Amino acid sequence: MIKINENYLKLQSGYLFPEISRRVKKFSEKKSDARIIRLGIGDVTEPLPPAIVEAMHNAVSQMGSRDGFKGYGPDQGYDFLIEAIIANDYKSRGVSLENSEVFVSDGAKCDTGNFQEVFGIDNVIAVTDPVYPVYVDTNVMAGRTRKADKAGRFTGIIYMPCTPDNNFVPELPKEKVDLIYLCFPNTPTGAVAKKEQLKKWVDYAKDNKAIILFDAAYEAFISDNIIPHSIYEIAGAKEVAVEFRSFSKTAGFTGLRCAFTVVPKELKAWTKDGQAVDVNPIWHRRHCTKFNGASYISQAAAAAVYTEQGKKQVRKIIELYMSNAALIVSTLKKLGFEVYGGVNAPYVWLKTKNKMTSWEFFDLLLEKVNVVCTPGSGFGVAGEGFVRLSAFGNPANVAEAMERFKKL
Ligand SMILES: *Cc1c(COP(=O)(O)O)cnc(C)c1O
């Protein structure tokens, strides 16, 4: 008899986005003339800029020629891309890395989800609340938790609430934890962490022989000069942190797929009897065993993000999204809402009025002004009473959505 991995039965059903679709569908059947504006999506909307498209055309032509054809690429990605990543994303911020510390992949979702595999099953995991569900679900699948309670929280995971009181940057846990997931700039709250705040986490990890998995997927949206773009801008972080980056939100690659993970040579984990083990070669082993590389075409496209033209064109698109965010923030503040994020991240985290729950406010927005948001409670218990608005989208639609909010 073939046995199922029963850990999968502990997973909460993917409830949030199907439930949003169900309510939107039901509403549009009732009111078919309503023009619904979706500010709920976490996907980019602008097309790829010309420098990237041109690099892809060239790569396709190469693949079709005898001299230019490429089969399997190097294990960790092409040097032309890794070198561009190191020079532009790290060296420019005072962080030096070797090529062998960068692993190119086809997505940060897979990387943040897979990385826990190289750690023992009995580690204590800490996540923020609200949280990107991938961090939690992959640990559930791996068997690090028991069943979820009524609120949807798993026994075996430490949840660290992120609220206005701590500016959405979690306090150090009272319990001793081994693996810590941090995401800054954050989805869904749009919060960022300052150097001093990240330093506390780096020091905690050093003191407790813990590791931080730092998701910097929204790094390109940081506008404030004092905010670190990489956790390695904190002294000593290379000993305790893995960093995940992606071209998905930075350069519109959600449908093209290219990302990378940094695993420094200094990073160590321990055997049960206390012997230090280098994590970099272990991740290399994992990566090469289960993955055969991002396509040459997407790696060529990713390298074009770092060319002079590519940088300018990508920056313009980010500015378009961030002007949407600025309009959302300023309009909602004028209307007397409590608003967070939207300055260094493409998400605005909005407190509902009159103590409405996230779903009550979702229904109100949908029915009164035909705008779709994402209920904050879908990201965790501490997200209750908030909704997320996304700045990805057409500026005219965002402007119209804001006009409608005025009539709420
Ligand atoms: C979108 C996103 C990613 C990127 O995922 P890809 O697989 O690279 O598209 C990673 N982390 C967070 C928190 C995200 O929102």
Side-chain angles (χ1 to χ4, degrees), residues 19 40 62 95 97 126 180 188 221 234 313 351 374 395 404:
E19 179 61 17
Q62 271 183 296
V95 177
L97 289 176
I180 301 145
F221 296 85
I234 315 305
Q313 293 165 6
K351 184 137 180 46
T374 312
R404 293 187 192 173

Side-chain angles (χ1 to χ4, degrees), residues 42 106-112 132 135 183 185-187 215-218 244-249 253-254 257-259 347 388:
D106 63 359
K109 186 187 221 181
C110 331
D111 289 345
T112 54
Y132 183 53
Y135 314 150
C183 174
N186 187 263
T187 182
D215 187 343
Y218 295 98
F244 303 94
R245 296 259 186 125
S246 172
F247 296 96
S248 281
K249 317 295 166 34
F253 276 49
T254 51
R257 315 305 303 147
C258 196
Y347 298 116
R388 187 187 76 175

Side-chain angles (χ1 to χ4, degrees), residues 305-317:
V305 172
Y306 297 110
T307 60
E308 206 180 313
Q309 285 304 312
K311 279 183 197 170
K312 270 192 212 148
Q313 293 165 6
V314 161
R315 187 48 41 198
K316 243 180 102 183
I317 296 174

Side-chain angles (χ1 to χ4, degrees), residues 13-40:
S13 59
Y15 162 80
L16 180 62
F17 290 98
E19 179 61 17
I20 291 173
S21 304
R22 196 188 66 78
R23 292 192 191 205
V24 172
K25 187 161 171 270
K26 198 171 146 212
F27 175 75
S28 47
E29 279 163 8
K30 194 172 71 186
K31 244 190 128 223
S32 58
D33 59 332
R35 208 178 69 77
I36 292 170
I37 299 179
R38 289 164 204 274
L39 297 184

Side-chain angles (χ1 to χ4, degrees), residues 243-300:
E243 181 162 292
F244 303 94
R245 296 259 186 125
S246 172
F247 296 96
S248 281
K249 317 295 166 34
T250 305
F253 276 49
T254 51
L256 179 56
R257 315 305 303 147
C258 196
F260 62 91
T261 292
V262 178
V263 189
K265 289 274 159 74
E266 290 93 328
L267 186 73
K268 304 239 186 297
W270 278 266
T271 62
K272 282 207 179 74
D273 53 12
Q275 289 185 35
V277 178
D278 289 334
V279 178
N280 177 290
I282 301 268
W283 181 247
H284 179 266
R285 191 74 173 80
R286 155 66 182 72
H287 195 69
C288 304
T289 301
K290 295 197 179 181
F291 185 63
N292 248 342
S295 87
Y296 172 65
I297 296 160
S298 18
Q299 294 192 58

